[in-house]
Amino acid sequence: MLAQDIIRKPIITERSMALTAEKKYTFAVPNSATKIDIKKAVEQIFDVEVEKVTTIRVMGKVKRMGANSGRRASWKKAIVKLTQDSKTIEFFESMI
């Protein structure tokens, strides 16, 4: 898998933006991505040093439309913590 395939999109929420002060950044990743894959992808794309990667599997919600019920897709998110001497990711800095 290429690095661009592993990092699907950044997650911009109030909580994730508060974590940027601690050099923690949140991304949506494929369910098959491992912590090692995510670390290499972030280091390659953004040219930073990653200290730790935490992954969370988000289960899809059950939704109804009338009598029919279905389920949203499950997905995985990764919280990446950078080292203290690493530079920040400029994309998130422009969002603040």
Side-chain angles (χ1 to χ4, degrees):
M1 239 192 252
L2 296 173
Q4 290 79 8
D5 295 334
I6 294 175
I7 304 299
R8 287 190 174 161
K9 64 181 180 179
I11 298 175
I12 309 296
T13 61
E14 194 171 334
R15 183 175 180 189
S16 69
M17 295 311 291
L19 288 175
T20 58
E22 302 172 20
K23 288 195 170 184
K24 292 183 180 181
Y25 302 96
T26 309
F27 299 99
V29 296
N31 288 337
S32 61
T34 63
K35 291 183 179 185
I36 296 169
D37 293 338
I38 297 166
K39 179 179 178 179
K40 288 179 184 177
V42 170
E43 287 177 344
Q44 181 182 355
I45 293 172
F46 299 108
D47 193 33
V48 293
E49 295 177 27
V50 175
E51 178 181 333
K52 182 179 176 181
V53 176
T54 307
T55 58
I56 301 135
R57 296 216 23 198
V58 181
M59 301 307 289
K61 293 181 179 180
V62 175
K63 291 292 189 177
R64 285 186 33 179
M65 185 171 289
N68 302 324
S69 66
R71 185 177 204 96
R72 287 187 180 171
S74 298
W75 56 287
K76 189 179 207 179
K77 71 178 172 180
I79 300 174
V80 178
K81 180 172 173 44
L82 304 182
T83 58
Q84 290 296 328
D85 56 339
S86 177
K87 66 178 186 173
T88 60
I89 298 176
E90 292 85 16
F91 176 80
F92 285 92
E93 298 302 320
S94 65
M95 300 301 284
I96 295 177

